[in-house]
Amino acid sequence: MTSAAAAADLPRDGAPEIALVGRSNVGKSSLINALVRQRVARTSGAPGKTRLANIYRVTRGGGSPIYLVDLPGYGYARGGTAGFEHLAGGVIGRHQSALLLVDVRHPGLDSDRAASQWITASVDRAAVVATKIDKLARGERIRALRQLESVFETSVLPVSAETGEGLEELWKLIDQTTTSS
């Protein structure tokens, strides 16, 4: 729908919003494309390309519209992290819910732990979503998910934008999170 350089640029029509937070190249844009089943978010193989919060107005079935707010990735940002911190802080400050996206192949990164603490302290409802689950064999998936659940001390939802695995469960989580706003 639009991009925002600051929280003041976000929509103000009262529709529920959910922020997607994660490291650069964790798959936020790919996941949005998979959720809406069309290419609306631009993806890149190079980390740090997203510099603004990208806002997508989504209506699923006959439901009410919601906004998915795709924040720039943390951990690698072209031009430094000061812009990310200001934008993300302003955006998260007005949200009541957020999804922390983590790459299932890299459980327990310090940057993900710090993001989890920040989100938990900043929003009413947060959940952890493990992306790129299709990249691991069955046994590796189980070990990685257990490790993630231990690190974040909560259940972790595994998803794959590539295969569609976990997307229906993710929609249910988004619905629960945004309807209890």
Side-chain angles (χ1 to χ4, degrees), residues 123-144:
V123 300
D124 295 333
R125 288 168 301 284
V128 180
V129 177
T131 61
K132 304 183 183 186
I133 193 70
D134 58 291
K135 306 287 187 196
L136 298 180
R138 188 169 174 16
E140 293 173 314
R141 289 176 182 206
I142 293 168
R143 278 189 298 281

Side-chain angles (χ1 to χ4, degrees), residues 125 169-181:
R125 288 168 301 284
E169 292 82 2
L170 180 55
W171 269 121
K172 289 176 185 172
L173 178 63
I174 290 169
D175 289 342
Q176 290 170 351
T177 302
T178 56
T179 56
S180 56
S181 293

Side-chain angles (χ1 to χ4, degrees), residues 143-175:
R143 278 189 298 281
L145 287 171
R146 282 187 186 143
Q147 188 174 3
L148 283 169
E149 289 176 348
S150 174
V151 166
F152 295 110
E153 298 177 351
T154 188
S155 60
V156 175
L157 177 63
V159 299
S160 168
E162 190 73 26
T163 66
E165 181 179 346
L167 292 181
E168 190 58 37
E169 292 82 2
L170 180 55
W171 269 121
K172 289 176 185 172
L173 178 63
I174 290 169
D175 289 342

Side-chain angles (χ1 to χ4, degrees), residues 13-170:
D13 63 4
E17 301 170 7
I18 187 163
L20 279 67
V21 181
R23 286 185 314 110
S24 295
N25 273 17
V26 76
K28 294 183 301 295
S29 297
S30 296
L31 188 58
I32 289 169
N33 289 338
L35 282 168
V36 300
R37 295 186 176 148
Q38 60 182 337
R39 192 172 186 276
V40 295
R42 293 196 321 199
T43 60
S44 171
K49 292 277 189 174
T50 303
R51 303 299 296 155
L52 303 171
N54 294 312
I55 300 113
Y56 303 93
R57 184 180 170 103
V58 178
T59 304
R60 186 166 179 248
S64 299
I66 64 166
Y67 290 106
L68 300 178
V69 181
D70 179 11
L71 289 175
Y74 57 81
Y76 178 96
R78 293 174 185 229
T81 60
F84 166 78
E85 292 168 1
H86 177 72
L87 174 61
V91 170
I92 287 291
R94 70 174 247 151
H95 284 78
Q96 294 179 332
S97 57
L99 298 177
L100 173 62
L101 277 56
V102 297
D103 187 328
V104 72
R105 301 170 298 175
H106 306 290
L109 294 176
D110 288 341
S111 59
D112 289 338
R113 290 177 191 203
S116 175
Q117 291 172 347
W118 171 63
I119 290 169
T120 302
S122 302
V123 300
D124 295 333
R125 288 168 301 284
V128 180
V129 177
T131 61
K132 304 183 183 186
I133 193 70
D134 58 291
K135 306 287 187 196
L136 298 180
R138 188 169 174 16
E140 293 173 314
R141 289 176 182 206
I142 293 168
R143 278 189 298 281
L145 287 171
R146 282 187 186 143
Q147 188 174 3
L148 283 169
E149 289 176 348
S150 174
V151 166
F152 295 110
E153 298 177 351
T154 188
S155 60
V156 175
L157 177 63
V159 299
S160 168
E162 190 73 26
T163 66
E165 181 179 346
L167 292 181
E168 190 58 37
E169 292 82 2
L170 180 55

